[in-house]
Amino acid sequence: MANINENYLKLKAGYLFPEISKRVKVYSEKNPSAKIIRLGIGDVTLPIVPSVVDAMVAASKEMGTAGGFHGYGPEQGYSFLLKSIADNDYGTLGIKIDESEIFVSDGSKCDCGNIQEIFSTDAKIAVADPVYPVYVDTNVMAGRTGEIGADGRYSNLIYMPATKENGFQPEIPKEKADIVYLCYPNNPTGTVTTKEALKAWVEYAKKNNSIILYDSAYEAFISEPGVPRSIYEVEGAKEVAIEFRSFSKTAGFTGLRCAYIVIPKELKGRTKSGEEVSLNALWSRRHTTKFNGVSYVTQKGAEACYSPQGKKEIQESIAYYMSNAAKIREGLKKAGYEVFGGVNAPYIWLKTSNNLSSWDFFDRLLDKAQVVGTPGSGFGPAGEGYFRLSAFGKKEDVEEAISRISSL
């Protein structure tokens, strides 16, 4: 019998979203006629926009011809997509990113989890609290933490509380972290940061030889001027930061699966003896060894996102979701809830009513209003007493959900 990786046994009993699904399933079986409105998991509801569909149909037909058939493609991504990403997502911001610094993948969730493989298991990790669970769980699996304590925190992990008192901005740790996870616009709080704050993080990373893992999967939802869309807007960030982006929420690719990671050539790691090593080269080795690339058809669809018509259609979808966010935000505020986020991100972070715990509030909403959200404590101990609602529902469902919640 083979021995197991016992680090998996340190994990909490279940991943957050399967636990939510389990509770909803139990309720549905007991109440088969209940119309449940799901504003929990951040899955999109609008269909793929016509420009993307047309591009994938054309690519599918192309695959059915002798001259247009594509087998294994380049693991890093086809040049037509890499160029579109570099020109549109970075060139428009005045940021120079080379195609060789971009790696197309099947999702940012995978990238955020897999990236830790190229770092030492001795690396000290810092995460915001509350936090997207993947950042923590994958490092637990790798053995970088100790056991979980009664307070819900793993030992040997630096937690940076993001609370109402500090504007949901995690404070720079006083101790040295080798790897720092940052997410803006933030999941789950829906808040954003400033360029000045990012400058301070870049300075910290340079001073401590740290690497920043910057998840900007929701940058397309930023509506206010002056809010940074990329950490590379900060001078020197290419020397210390890796950036993650996704087509999932931006263009509705949750079912198609396409994302990318940017690792600048300037970015270096170190061996135990102090020798500098290119992180771009390490990730390229890992990526090409373990991944055969995103399908040609999907990448042609992703390329269409950058066409003038594709951009227009996608912006209309984003505007739809952000209109939902505004309805949720204002409706909850009118009902007396303390609310955050929902302006530059599709998530609304609210304080639970009557000092209920996050899971008690979840059960109350499900039982009394048939509305599903996400308990804040599922994102970390500092999320206790908070709750996340997603704007990715249908307009009529969002309106009905707010009406139900307001009547409680």
Side-chain angles (χ1 to χ4, degrees):
M1 184 179 293
N3 292 336
I4 64 166
N5 176 355
E6 295 188 23
N7 292 307
Y8 278 67
L9 302 180
K10 300 176 187 174
L11 294 168
K12 295 178 183 178
Y15 184 56
L16 173 60
F17 298 109
E19 174 62 24
I20 290 173
S21 296
K22 184 176 76 173
R23 294 193 183 205
V24 173
K25 183 174 183 291
V26 170
Y27 179 84
S28 297
E29 289 172 349
K30 291 181 178 179
N31 303 273
S33 62
K35 182 193 174 185
I36 297 174
I37 299 175
R38 301 169 190 265
L39 301 179
I41 190 168
D43 196 2
V44 295
T45 53
L46 293 178
I48 301 293
V49 300
S51 293
V52 172
V53 173
D54 290 345
M56 291 195 297
V57 168
S60 297
K61 290 180 178 179
E62 189 181 343
M63 290 283 281
T65 66
F69 174 74
H70 290 75
Y72 289 124
E75 292 95 343
Q76 186 168 337
Y78 285 98
S79 182
F80 61 75
L81 180 55
L82 300 177
K83 185 178 187 307
S84 293
I85 290 169
D87 291 348
N88 291 275
D89 287 346
Y90 294 99
T92 54
L93 298 174
I95 300 168
K96 172 63 177 173
I97 297 292
D98 190 79
E99 289 183 27
S100 63
E101 297 174 313
I102 305 168
F103 299 83
V104 176
S105 73
D106 57 352
S108 283
K109 179 179 181 179
C110 306
D111 287 339
C112 288
N114 292 333
I115 193 66
Q116 51 83 23
E117 290 186 23
I118 66 172
F119 297 105
S120 167
T121 53
D122 296 330
K124 190 77 171 179
I125 308 297
V127 295
D129 177 17
V131 66
Y132 183 42
V134 173
Y135 308 158
V136 173
D137 289 358
T138 53
N139 280 288
V140 174
M141 293 171 179
R144 291 191 182 89
T145 73
E147 300 291 339
I148 193 168
D151 61 355
R153 292 184 169 92
Y154 288 95
S155 60
N156 201 39
L157 193 64
I158 300 172
Y159 286 86
M160 306 179 293
T163 64
K164 175 187 172 184
E165 289 68 33
N166 62 17
F168 298 101
Q169 302 298 318
E171 296 177 6
I172 293 176
K174 294 180 173 59
E175 60 186 299
K176 178 186 183 302
D178 297 303
I179 299 171
V180 178
Y181 286 83
L182 295 177
C183 175
Y184 291 107
N186 186 260
N187 178 17
T189 67
T191 55
V192 292
T193 192
T194 65
K195 192 171 180 178
E196 287 303 312
L198 288 183
K199 284 180 180 178
W201 280 110
V202 169
E203 289 170 6
Y204 168 85
K206 287 188 173 184
K207 179 181 177 182
N208 291 280
N209 292 319
S210 308
I211 301 296
I212 297 171
L213 302 182
Y214 193 78
D215 185 352
S216 60
Y218 298 95
E219 63 81 26
F221 294 87
I222 293 172
S223 62
E224 294 181 315
V227 177
R229 292 176 175 272
S230 168
I231 194 169
Y232 300 132
E233 293 180 47
V234 176
E235 186 177 354
K238 284 186 181 181
E239 300 168 25
V240 296
I242 293 171
E243 184 160 289
F244 305 86
R245 289 201 182 185
S246 173
F247 294 92
S248 284
K249 311 303 168 56
T250 302
F253 275 44
T254 52
L256 288 177
R257 312 307 304 146
C258 193
Y260 66 89
I261 180 173
V262 177
I263 306 183
K265 294 287 182 64
E266 298 97 315
L267 192 56
K268 308 291 183 183
R270 285 180 170 79
T271 64
K272 288 184 178 179
S273 62
E275 177 188 358
E276 286 193 346
V277 178
S278 166
L279 293 184
N280 180 285
L282 280 187
W283 181 253
S284 179
R285 185 67 172 88
R286 189 263 173 210
H287 195 70
T288 55
T289 299
K290 293 192 172 186
F291 188 59
N292 270 338
V294 174
S295 77
Y296 173 75
V297 172
T298 297
Q299 290 192 59
K300 290 301 287 186
E303 181 194 28
C305 296
Y306 297 109
S307 69
Q309 184 62 22
K311 288 179 180 180
K312 178 178 180 293
E313 292 168 353
I314 288 168
Q315 281 304 313
E316 289 172 355
S317 294
I318 290 173
Y320 179 96
Y321 291 132
M322 291 313 294
S323 174
N324 283 347
K327 286 183 173 68
I328 297 170
R329 179 184 171 88
E330 297 309 313
L332 291 174
K333 286 172 68 175
K334 188 176 180 181
Y337 288 92
E338 193 171 11
V339 183
F340 310 91
V343 176
N344 296 293
Y347 295 122
I348 293 83
W349 190 243
L350 64 121
K351 190 77 180 69
T352 63
S353 59
N354 302 317
N355 293 316
L356 288 174
S357 73
S358 296
W359 278 108
D360 284 345
F361 188 75
F362 172 91
D363 290 335
R364 183 167 186 261
L365 277 194
L366 179 59
D367 183 49
K368 303 297 183 182
Q370 292 78 54
V371 173
V372 176
T374 309
S377 59
F379 297 102
E384 180 55 83
Y386 288 89
F387 201 76
R388 191 193 78 174
L389 289 176
S390 162
F392 288 117
K394 295 179 180 177
K395 175 184 174 182
E396 56 271 23
D397 286 342
V398 165
E399 292 173 345
E400 175 64 22
I402 297 308
S403 174
R404 293 182 190 180
I405 294 172
S406 299
S407 68
L408 292 180

